[in-house]
Amino acid sequence: MQAELIEIRNHMVQHAPFDELPTEMMDKVVAGIEITYFQAGTDILELGQNNNYLHYVRSGAVEIFRRSGELYNRVTEGEIFGQIGLMMNRTVRFPARAIEDTLVYQIPFELFQYLLQSEEFTDFVEIEDRSRLRSANSRREKSNQLMTAKVTRLINRAPVIVPNTVRLQEAARVMTEHGVSALPLMDESGDKPRLCGIVTDRDLRTRALTHALPSETPISDIMSTDVTTTHSNAFIFEAMLTMLHNNVHHLPVMDGDTVRGVIALSDIIKHESQSSLYLVSNIYHQHDVKGLKKLSKDVPDTFVRMVNEDANSHMIGSAMAGIGRSFSQRLLELGEEKLGPPPVPYCFMALGSMARDEQLVVTDQDNAMVLDDSFIPEEHDAYFKALAKFVSDGLAECGYTYCTGDIMATNDKWRQPLKVWKEYFADWIDNPKAEALLNSNIFFDLEGIYGETRFTDELQEFVAKRASGNPRFLAMMARNALGRTPPLGFFRQFVMEEDGKHNKTFNLKRRGTAPMSDLIRIHALACGSRAQNTFNRLKAIGATELIPEDGVDNLRDAFEFIAIVRIRHQALAIEAGRKPDNNVRPEDLSPFERSHLKDAFQVVNQAQKFLRFRYNAGAVRNA
Amino acid sequence: MPEDNQQTEQQLSWPERLAELANSSNDERLKRFYEAGCVDADTAIKDVPMVALDFETTGLDPNQHSIVSIGLVPFTVDRVMLSGARHWLVKPALPLHQTSITVHGITHSDIDQAPDLNEVLGDILDNLKGRIPVVHFRAIERPFLNVAMNWRTGEGITFPLLDTMAIEAHLHPDRSLNFWQKLLGKQPISIRLADSRSRYGLPHYPPHNAVVDALATAELLMAQMRHHFSPETRIGDLWL
């Protein structure tokens, strides 16, 4: 290559996949480039035409079309097109047209073949953008033990089980003899034995010994029924979430009705030094707000450690939500210790990201209380108000700042009996008003985290039934969901905003994960799903024919990618001693991330268009 | 600045003149160049092989200043072939001015290693022959080469060329501003290479390297042809 043509090489190596190629390779390629110029509006590649070049856009913008004529992609400075046809008989599969005056560097077929010697290049071109995103996500997950290992790997003995008819002392003897800390109990009265309960070391201590129960007591008197289990196909990661979620330390692993074994929290900790579990179990050992506050200082470290261990966004989001939930639960326990038992049953409800299991480190508290319908404000509210304040203040101490929108149980409006909550939801759904729905959006991600969770189950059921049959509500929600668009300009460049420090950034939450969870929520509501987590919602949507099948996969991949970039951005900030935020400067991203983010934002873009069309969101007027 | 006036003197067509010069020339290299000839004036621009040519010089006067580097890139209106791009540094006959160093970035030590133009002349002419040279501002390359060769071989050189600056000037005849436009702070239309390129959406290239400037000129001609001329345009209407 003429040394003077270095300018051309320098431009190319700023862009994927050329940024990963060796210099000698790039020199050889640049020396063989042919340059062409296309006026805006002219065809570059026509369907079926013979094409012998890989096209690199040096300046300008190009639209790529499907065979049907439908717009497939926009390609701009630093991006390539034409590769699919090159790999398929050198015949154009996706026609291309210049939409601006465009200068194209063309790489002849022989050099394209030469480039295919590079694995990085081959990876990049073989899989077009959507699937490119998928492989980007999975490449990362491959290295992840928790994701790939099944729970059965933690079971290395035949199950130790006894019939539920044994006596206390016999149960204790079996546990000691086999060195187990939990014992599944089988009901053998039917055709085949069924799991009907479990006792743990802790149960023996707290329920039997402290009350000096006689050794002949039937074990069924102290066992826990309603056993939380996992199935033998579950990943260790899923088992870990189940434990976090239900605050149990032992999980029987089931093969249908058969107990395969029991895994304990300590087994998982041994398997993967997953510190979020230590943190959670420590939370329950704290006896005052001061202790919790001290512990909360470890939360960012736990977050960073999970990121560095290459956990995916679902794991991190669930673990952080689990931690937040544990802080809330422990504060409620402490509150009840202080204020006495509640005068009527109640449920403490998480809203927004915690309910979705998608919490990160920068988060405020969004919560509410659902009270039993026997609630009489004059008699009972003083108690719940005080409890709500105790929890809310405690959470604030632990770094979960007060909700600026006052969506907290301390707000009288959000501390109401179940019947009032149903009226709220009925009103939101039956008389949808755009403005009001913007504010109540957050209530459509709800989960009971303490107390009578049947109340919140009932609410979820209520919402799922009511929302799916109400097109006007869905249209209004859809319209609101279109208010925040991905930061991608018409020509696929990033659209930046200025942050407080005059940096050009874009907000990965406001312009990325939030619009996505908004639009996925609407599809989930439309198909009557009770799922709250975005990935679970996508699963539920995938089971219907609401959106095309690859649409679900694309959304999942895009969401995962945007979420993980956001998570890594925050982890980097924490490690650098800065306050984590959601504002990303494009220059802080790798070319790989930039390229895939554009793909992901493109998916959001398409999904928003579909949403508008599917729910007729363009046509709704405020009633 | 001496504008070459070969065009007005010219009685014969370019192909005829080149054929005549091929007969009269005594220099082997020059003879080869002329013998390759050039396309007929009626040839459509889309069928004309061209070569973008750029010199870096120590100044603007061919009688006082010298060539320090030569860059060329062969192309047609459809495509530029980077594989044919060439670049030569040559030792200027006259000392390198400090001021010109700051323009093209070629220093005394670069030049000390460089050959005299005479040593690479054959190579250069072989890369030009049979193609129509394209320059941006015709008062440099052809006159400088003419003087430099006259001085070394006793024979000058001439050939038809296209001037992208002349084409821009033709497209924007009213470039000077009237009183009111000046008063209103309007900027005159610039026909300099970089400014002309930006009107066609062509990217910015760092200036003052002979190959890159030649490439920039080739791209500009492609863009001018796409925007303002039919591919069937006669080369005879464009060359100077």
Side-chain angles (χ1 to χ4, degrees):
Chain A
M1 184 188 76
Q2 294 287 327
E4 288 69 26
L5 295 177
I6 207 162
E7 143 69 15
I8 288 173
R9 190 188 72 198
N10 286 353
H11 189 269
M12 295 181 77
V13 299
Q14 287 171 44
H15 299 95
F18 305 104
D19 54 339
E20 296 190 60
L21 305 184
T23 307
E24 317 84 72
M25 192 171 235
M26 282 309 295
D27 284 351
K28 191 164 170 190
V29 168
V30 168
I33 278 177
E34 300 175 19
I35 303 176
T36 54
Y37 178 86
F38 297 91
Q39 202 181 346
T42 54
D43 288 327
I44 300 176
L45 294 174
E46 290 177 66
L47 186 66
Q49 175 200 337
N50 196 43
N51 168 42
N52 287 309
Y53 298 95
L54 176 67
H55 292 61
Y56 173 91
V57 178
R58 174 59 175 83
S59 63
V62 175
E63 281 185 341
I64 314 289
F65 298 89
R66 290 184 197 281
R67 184 176 281 270
S68 60
E70 184 195 343
L71 180 64
Y72 170 71
N73 200 358
R74 277 199 188 89
V75 181
T76 180
E77 182 173 335
E79 296 179 310
I80 56 175
F81 65 95
Q83 64 270 37
I84 302 216
L86 277 188
M87 290 182 287
M88 294 176 160
N89 269 337
R90 301 196 236 169
T91 305
V92 174
R93 296 301 169 114
F94 292 80
R97 181 183 306 144
I99 52 170
E100 290 177 10
D101 292 339
T102 299
L103 191 68
V104 177
Y105 293 166
Q106 296 190 338
I107 298 168
F109 183 68
E110 303 71 53
L111 285 172
F112 176 74
Q113 284 179 309
Y114 167 69
L115 281 169
L116 289 175
Q117 293 173 8
S118 148
E119 204 171 300
E120 289 82 4
F121 184 82
T122 309
D123 279 358
F124 188 88
V125 296
E126 270 191 347
I127 8 180
E128 255 289 62
D129 42 21
R130 302 303 145 71
S131 37
R132 210 156 78 201
L133 194 57
R134 192 158 308 152
S135 76
N137 284 335
S138 65
R139 214 177 313 164
R140 217 164 27 71
E141 277 172 9
K142 236 177 254 166
S143 59
N144 192 327
Q145 279 290 303
L146 274 181
M147 275 306 288
T148 50
K150 298 276 176 82
V151 283
T152 42
R153 181 179 293 186
L154 300 180
I155 301 172
N156 46 18
R157 67 195 304 163
V160 180
I161 49 179
V162 294
N164 64 340
T165 48
V166 301
R167 308 280 162 172
L168 187 56
Q169 189 177 12
E170 173 68 1
R173 193 190 59 74
V174 171
M175 288 172 75
T176 310
E177 192 172 297
H178 291 91
V180 294
S181 53
L183 187 62
L185 303 166
M186 308 305 285
D187 177 358
E188 293 183 339
S189 59
D191 291 346
K192 44 181 196 169
R194 289 182 58 89
L195 179 68
C196 66
I198 191 168
V199 285
T200 65
D201 273 350
R202 191 164 184 264
D203 296 335
L204 292 180
R205 231 172 30 245
T206 57
R207 294 180 193 162
L209 288 174
T210 48
H211 296 102
L213 293 183
S215 60
E216 290 308 299
T217 311
I219 194 69
S220 52
D221 284 6
I222 66 155
M223 71 182 182
S224 309
T225 54
D226 194 16
V227 187
T228 306
T229 64
T230 187
H231 55 92
S232 57
N233 273 328
F235 292 106
I236 293 175
F237 141 68
E238 292 178 275
M240 179 188 107
L241 292 186
T242 308
M243 287 188 189
L244 278 173
H245 202 95
N246 297 287
N247 187 29
V248 294
H249 294 187
H250 297 88
L251 279 182
V253 178
M254 306 298 291
D255 234 352
D257 286 339
T258 317
V259 178
R260 285 282 305 275
V262 176
I263 56 170
L265 182 61
S266 53
D267 295 333
I268 297 183
I269 292 172
K270 256 184 262 161
H271 180 75
E272 277 281 328
S273 61
Q274 203 41 265
S275 52
S276 54
L277 289 167
Y278 279 121
L279 186 63
V280 166
S281 61
N282 258 335
I283 287 171
Y284 291 98
H285 294 138
Q286 301 308 311
H287 293 287
D288 50 24
V289 177
K290 219 173 114 191
L292 288 173
K293 183 181 176 180
K294 203 167 151 226
L295 208 54
S296 71
K297 307 276 184 255
D298 293 344
V299 175
D301 287 342
T302 307
F303 174 78
V304 171
R305 210 165 307 153
M306 286 192 81
V307 176
N308 290 342
E309 281 168 9
D310 251 350
N312 66 14
S313 78
H314 191 184
M315 293 168 65
I316 295 172
S318 308
M320 298 317 281
I323 289 169
R325 199 178 285 129
S326 302
F327 274 115
S328 311
Q329 287 165 345
R330 185 61 189 150
L331 281 163
L332 283 156
E333 285 174 1
L334 292 173
E336 284 186 15
E337 272 175 31
K338 191 176 141 201
L339 300 167
V344 297
Y346 76 102
C347 176
F348 194 82
M349 167 163 85
L351 302 163
S353 61
M354 191 194 281
R356 286 200 314 272
D357 261 350
E358 287 162 20
Q359 211 157 29
L360 300 186
V361 271
V362 195
T363 188
D364 55 1
Q365 45 171 304
D366 302 299
N367 51 52
M369 275 183 187
V370 187
L371 310 167
D372 189 85
D373 283 341
S374 63
F375 169 76
I376 303 164
E378 298 74 31
E379 286 180 32
H380 306 139
D381 199 36
Y383 175 88
F384 289 113
K385 192 168 183 150
L387 183 62
K389 186 170 183 334
F390 178 83
V391 174
S392 179
D393 291 348
L395 283 173
E397 286 282 309
C398 294
Y400 300 87
T401 50
Y402 295 111
C403 170
T404 48
D406 205 15
I407 294 172
M408 294 184 290
T410 47
N411 182 337
D412 293 351
K413 195 174 173 194
W414 310 131
R415 194 175 63 249
Q416 294 290 339
L418 181 59
K419 58 182 180 217
V420 176
W421 278 105
K422 285 184 180 166
E423 284 163 21
Y424 285 168
F425 279 104
D427 185 50
W428 287 328
I429 295 168
D430 299 345
N431 309 303
K433 295 181 188 65
E435 185 68 15
L437 279 183
L438 265 186
N439 299 324
S440 53
N441 206 8
I442 193 167
F443 291 97
F444 290 88
D445 302 329
L446 74 91
E447 181 163 46
I449 58 170
Y450 186 84
E452 302 294 326
T453 48
R454 61 192 163 92
F455 292 169
T456 44
D457 290 348
E458 218 174 297
L459 277 180
Q460 288 179 353
E461 192 69 41
F462 183 86
V463 171
K465 279 210 177 107
R466 196 119 176 172
S468 58
N470 197 320
R472 234 164 58 80
F473 164 74
L474 294 171
M476 201 67 84
M477 289 283 277
R479 204 173 79 155
N480 284 344
L482 297 172
R484 294 185 289 192
T485 52
L488 206 55
F490 189 68
F491 299 128
R492 254 177 84 90
Q493 81 282 26
F494 289 121
V495 174
M496 318 276 225
E497 296 156 311
E498 221 157 76
D499 69 7
K501 296 171 216 103
H502 301 287
N503 289 320
K504 295 273 190 204
T505 64
F506 53 88
N507 189 300
L508 277 180
K509 182 185 180 190
R510 203 166 57 236
R511 305 291 222 126
T513 51
M516 285 203 88
S517 41
D518 280 353
L519 73 90
I520 291 164
R521 176 188 305 112
I522 294 162
H523 290 307
L525 287 169
C527 71
S529 162
R530 285 183 44 182
Q532 307 292 317
N533 174 266
T534 298
F535 291 105
N536 293 340
R537 279 173 169 166
L538 280 171
K539 254 183 231 162
I541 296 164
T544 70
E545 286 178 351
L546 198 61
I547 60 179
E549 198 180 325
D550 68 329
V552 171
D553 292 342
N554 289 341
L555 278 172
R556 188 193 59 227
D557 296 333
F559 187 81
E560 171 63 24
F561 196 79
I562 298 172
I564 204 72
V565 171
R566 179 179 165 215
I567 284 168
R568 269 186 259 152
H569 170 72
Q570 297 196 346
L572 282 175
I574 293 169
E575 284 183 306
R578 281 180 281 123
K579 190 173 154 43
D581 62 24
N582 295 307
N583 298 322
V584 173
R585 297 185 306 173
E587 57 265 39
D588 293 341
L589 299 170
S590 70
F592 174 84
E593 285 175 319
R594 275 201 294 269
S595 165
H596 289 311
L597 259 188
K598 284 185 179 179
D599 292 343
F601 286 142
Q602 195 96 316
V603 171
V604 184
N605 222 328
Q606 292 298 324
Q608 288 194 332
K609 278 189 196 140
F610 181 76
L611 191 78
R612 179 190 300 275
F613 151 80
R614 179 70 181 70
Y615 299 104
N616 206 9
V620 255
R621 294 281 172 274
N622 242 328
Chain B
M1 189 175 314
E3 165 61 356
D4 65 334
N5 51 4
Q6 288 161 328
Q7 193 195 359
T8 47
E9 283 175 3
Q10 159 187 349
Q11 304 296 320
L12 301 167
S13 73
W14 273 115
E16 288 164 346
R17 279 189 75 187
L18 296 192
E20 196 171 84
L21 287 165
N23 281 326
S24 62
S25 176
N26 293 317
D27 186 283
E28 248 337 279
R29 301 164 295 187
L30 207 45
K31 219 176 174 61
R32 276 206 310 274
F33 173 75
Y34 286 133
E35 275 168 357
C38 73
V39 293
D40 188 81
D42 286 328
T43 311
I45 184 76
K46 68 178 168 55
D47 297 325
V48 176
M50 294 177 280
V51 56
L53 182 65
D54 187 81
F55 292 177
E56 298 300 317
T57 57
T58 58
L60 294 173
D61 183 350
N63 293 307
Q64 292 187 33
H65 300 120
S66 301
I67 303 168
V68 285
S69 70
I70 294 174
L72 61 82
V73 184
F75 75 111
T76 65
V77 285
D78 283 330
R79 56 185 58 242
V80 175
M81 315 293 284
L82 282 189
S83 54
R86 297 294 307 271
H87 184 250
W88 297 268
L89 282 179
V90 291
K91 191 178 290 185
L94 305 160
L96 209 53
H97 294 276
Q98 194 55 43
T99 47
S100 69
I101 294 174
T102 56
V103 175
H104 46 63
I106 294 168
T107 62
H108 293 94
S109 59
D110 292 331
I111 295 301
D112 285 346
Q113 317 290 324
D116 185 83
L117 176 66
N118 202 34
E119 295 170 47
V120 293
L121 192 61
D123 197 10
I124 293 167
L125 290 179
D126 284 346
N127 277 280
L128 291 175
K129 73 177 187 209
R131 297 181 165 267
I132 306 294
V134 179
V135 300
H136 191 81
F137 187 37
R138 66 183 177 282
I140 299 293
E141 283 78 12
R142 194 163 55 187
F144 265 84
L145 194 58
N146 185 43
V147 171
M149 287 186 53
N150 223 332
W151 195 73
R152 285 171 177 81
T153 66
E155 254 186 88
I157 187 172
T158 190
F159 45 81
L161 57 68
L162 301 187
D163 179 357
T164 48
M165 190 164 93
I167 292 172
E168 272 315 274
H170 164 76
L171 293 168
H172 302 281
D174 302 315
R175 290 189 307 284
S176 53
L177 300 178
N178 66 29
F179 173 75
W180 284 108
Q181 288 171 318
K182 281 181 194 155
L183 196 69
L184 293 170
K186 288 233 189 247
Q187 292 296 317
I189 292 175
S190 161
I191 55 173
R192 295 174 52 196
L193 182 57
D195 299 318
S196 300
R197 283 171 60 83
S198 68
R199 276 195 290 280
Y200 295 93
L202 290 167
H204 173 78
Y205 287 154
H208 303 305
N209 169 282
V211 175
V212 177
D213 280 352
L215 173 62
T217 304
E219 290 174 358
L220 177 58
L221 188 90
M222 288 199 297
Q224 287 172 330
M225 292 301 127
R226 294 278 176 205
H227 280 259
H228 303 294
F229 295 84
S230 149
E232 303 298 334
T233 305
R234 287 175 72 246
I235 183 72
D237 292 341
L238 293 169
W239 66 27
L240 300 169

